[in-house]
Every structure is written in structure tokens, then in C-alpha cells.
Amino acid sequence: MNNVEFALLVLLSIGFFILIVLSIIVVSLMLSIMKNLKKISQRAENATENVAGIAESISRTIAPLAASGIMGILVKRFTGKGKSKGN
């Protein structure tokens, strides 16, 4: 094996080693990014569950009030028309 072949072998080995190290670094960075994305998605899911719970409790509270308001309007409308027809 002459000097040129040996030099090429050394250069290719160093290049291959650098590529392997870089790929390991990239994979570890991607794993950490994926973990962070998972945490963010879990927080977003918890937030939407909280908002849904708040909306549900508000709707449970407002629904009887809205129904009584509608009933009041209907009673006023029908009693008002009944009085005007009788007079």
C-alpha cells in the first residue's frame, strides 16, 4: 500500500467518523425536540380540557337562566296579547 492510498484511507476514515458523530448529535437533538413537543402538546390538551370544563359549567349555569328568561318573555307576550284581545 503506497502513501497515496494510505492518505485516502485516512481521509475517508476521518470523514466517516465525523459523519457518524454528526448523525448521533442530530438524532439526540431530534429526540430532545420530540420530547419538548410532547410536553407542549400535553399542556395544550390540558388547557383545552380546562376550557371545555369551564364552558360546560357556564352552560350548565346559564341554561336554566336562559330558559327562565325565555319563559318570562313568552308569558309577557301571551299575557299582553290576552289583555289586548279582551279590552
Side-chain angles (χ1 to χ4, degrees):
M1 191 167 179
N2 60 16
N3 289 337
V4 175
E5 291 174 348
F6 183 73
L8 285 176
L9 179 67
V10 169
L11 287 175
L12 288 174
S13 298
I14 291 172
F16 184 68
F17 178 73
I18 290 172
L19 286 176
I20 287 175
V21 169
L22 287 176
S23 65
I24 290 171
I25 292 171
V26 168
V27 167
S28 65
L29 288 174
M30 292 297 290
L31 288 174
S32 66
I33 289 171
M34 295 300 285
K35 286 179 184 179
N36 287 336
L37 286 176
K38 186 176 180 180
K39 287 179 185 177
I40 290 170
S41 67
Q42 286 176 348
R43 288 181 185 167
E45 185 176 338
N46 289 338
T48 55
E49 287 176 0
N50 290 340
V51 170
I54 291 170
E56 183 180 340
S57 66
I58 289 173
S59 67
R60 272 191 260 142
T61 305
I62 292 178
L65 295 174
S68 65
I70 291 171
M71 290 300 291
I73 291 170
L74 291 175
V75 167
K76 285 180 184 178
R77 185 173 290 168
F78 287 126
T79 56
K81 286 184 179 179
K83 288 182 182 177
S84 64
K85 287 182 180 179
N87 291 330

